[in-house]
Amino acid sequence: MKYSKFVYTAVGLWAFILLAADIKVSIHPQIHWIATFLVFILALPLLVRLKYSLVAPIKLFALLMSMFLVASVLLVSLTSENPFYGLIQSEKLSFILLGAFPLLLGNSRLAKLGISAIPVAVFSNFVLLVLGFATSSVFAQLMTGDSRWGTFFNYPGSLWRVGILVIVFAVYTLLHKPRRTYFALLLAAALALIYFDGSRTGALLLFLALVFSAGIILFERRKRLLAGAIGVVTILLILGMLGFINNVELFKQILPQRAVLTFEAIFMGNYEEADHTRYEMLQVAQRQIRQNPLWGIGVGNTRVDTNEGSIVVHNAYLQVWADLGIMGLIAYVGLVLGWLIWFPSFFRHVRQRGDPIERGLYYNVVFMLFFYAFSGLFHPLSTEWSEWITFILPYALFAQALSKDEVESAKSSKLLNRNLNL
């Protein structure tokens, strides 16, 4: 095997390992960092020879926001109760956002190799689920009292995240490619991961992913009014589902029970009953922000006491504001939502591509970015690879799609087909 092929294989394996979020528990707590440093050392002779292109507004903007975010973590840690912890978190973010992120932003091949690991992660977790059902709990098992399944790679809470990453890609390509067996299997496997995880966020995002896929397909076929109507109907449907969920058994049969109970409580205005812990988190974060809206108290310091111990606020936006101050909030929001500025141009570039696999990939990239931003409403800021890999990979491809060289190149399509083994 040539060295370059070995390195590219290692990059794909690295992405697969990072997607397996809970091998930090099942194997070793630092396995993602160990894998990162090993791959970096092995790949360094090739990485320094590759061509990189970072001179583009969207790329420079992303790097600027990354620097501000890292700087805000570093600065507030100097005045926090635990400065050493803050310094460690800023160092970890530096490796992710100022080390790996620029490499992926500058070279689309590396980013596509990372993306190609996602279907592998979906199928691997699905196989583990089947083995868990049929043979041993070593592979997969019920891990919570409310019937949520997890696998050796991904526990409840992260299993659905792997499945949601391919929904738009699988649906779009299933409707556009003659070889539909693969895409049907990929979609079925992804749906199984989301269902057996039993996540409320996952159930809602699955619905939005399917609506997004339908909207894209209709928009491409110049049925823009219908695509817009679907968006309006989606909003009304969500409201209707919340309002009539007690009277419609179909919703109770399809949705995870946790989601049903939560939606019912929210509709009735009982936000605290919907999730008492999250409700308390929001109250704590808001109090901290009102006390000091400009300067944070240090990353990971806005916490709530629960029966399971002290935990950080599970809303990245409020947590970042309370922990890092206004500078951190601007940097974080700019990073995770700034790509929307370039979305109209991105959509025009993607429509120029003739290969439906590539179009499906790039539409999926948009949903992955939306998913990351949306999930921040329910999850805290992380300094771990398993969280950021689902952002830096799609962002890199989103930015590369705007490149003139990428649009005119036919090689990228061949590369993608080969990486996804289609």
Side-chain angles (χ1 to χ4, degrees), residues 103-135:
L103 295 179
L104 297 172
L105 272 177
N107 189 288
S108 63
R109 185 170 191 180
L110 294 177
K112 286 180 177 177
L113 284 164
I115 286 287
S116 68
I118 298 177
V120 180
V122 171
F123 282 125
S124 298
N125 274 288
F126 179 74
V127 170
L128 289 177
L129 273 178
V130 173
L131 291 174
F133 279 121
T135 59

Side-chain angles (χ1 to χ4, degrees), residues 126-351:
F126 179 74
V127 170
L128 289 177
L129 273 178
V130 173
L131 291 174
F133 279 121
T135 59
S136 171
S137 60
V138 171
F139 303 106
Q141 60 180 309
L142 282 169
M143 293 186 172
T144 67
D146 49 358
S147 302
R148 300 181 67 183
W149 280 78
T151 71
F152 182 81
F153 291 152
N154 295 91
Y155 292 173
S158 73
L159 185 62
W160 73 268
R161 287 169 167 262
V162 178
I164 204 71
L165 295 178
V166 299
I167 293 294
V168 173
F169 174 71
V171 170
Y172 183 88
T173 47
L174 179 62
L175 299 176
H176 286 81
K177 287 289 289 183
R179 293 178 57 192
R180 293 176 174 173
T181 302
Y182 171 84
F183 300 111
L185 291 174
L186 179 62
L187 180 60
L191 292 174
L193 300 190
I194 297 169
Y195 179 79
F196 284 103
D197 184 298
S199 166
R200 295 166 293 190
T201 310
L204 180 56
L205 276 166
L206 171 61
F207 177 71
L208 295 177
L210 295 175
V211 171
F212 178 83
S213 302
I216 287 293
I217 293 169
L218 290 172
F219 195 87
E220 272 198 341
R221 295 176 180 177
R222 301 186 181 279
K223 297 181 180 180
R224 300 181 182 181
L225 288 177
L226 185 56
I230 284 183
V232 174
V233 170
T234 299
I235 297 173
L236 296 176
L237 193 59
I238 291 176
L239 295 175
M241 182 179 69
L242 295 179
F244 299 104
I245 197 166
N246 285 314
N247 301 320
V248 182
E249 286 299 321
L250 177 63
F251 288 126
K252 292 188 175 183
Q253 294 172 11
I254 294 176
L255 292 175
Q257 186 64 21
R258 296 173 72 249
V260 172
L261 296 175
T262 299
F263 290 156
E264 288 178 345
I266 290 175
F267 180 77
M268 298 300 295
N270 300 325
Y271 301 107
E272 185 172 4
E273 182 182 331
D275 194 321
H276 173 75
T277 301
R278 290 183 187 271
Y279 179 80
E280 183 63 25
M281 287 176 179
L282 297 181
Q283 301 306 307
V284 169
Q286 291 174 35
R287 284 197 296 269
Q288 179 57 45
I289 291 168
R290 284 194 293 267
Q291 290 176 7
N292 194 346
L294 300 179
W295 191 259
I297 61 174
V299 64
N301 285 333
T302 305
R303 292 176 168 269
V304 173
D305 293 325
T306 70
N307 294 331
E308 298 176 356
S310 177
I311 57 177
V312 297
V313 170
H314 278 46
N315 181 306
Y317 302 96
L318 292 178
Q319 181 210 2
V320 165
W321 194 351
D323 281 356
L324 307 182
I326 195 67
M327 176 181 171
L329 177 66
I330 293 172
Y332 184 76
V333 172
L335 183 59
V336 301
L337 290 172
W339 55 272
L340 287 169
I341 299 171
W342 288 272
F343 180 71
S345 178
F346 169 87
F347 193 79
R348 289 194 300 270
H349 280 72
V350 171
R351 292 188 66 189

Side-chain angles (χ1 to χ4, degrees), residues 45-71:
L46 176 66
L47 293 176
V48 297
R49 296 200 306 266
L50 292 177
K51 293 182 179 181
Y52 299 93
S53 175
L54 291 171
V55 185
I58 185 174
K59 298 178 183 180
L60 295 175
F61 177 81
L63 294 177
L64 181 64
M65 292 298 103
S66 297
M67 287 188 286
F68 279 146
L69 183 59
V70 171

Side-chain angles (χ1 to χ4, degrees), residues 73-84:
V73 175
L74 177 61
L75 290 174
V76 298
S77 68
L78 300 178
T79 59
S80 69
E81 296 179 355
N82 190 352
F84 183 67

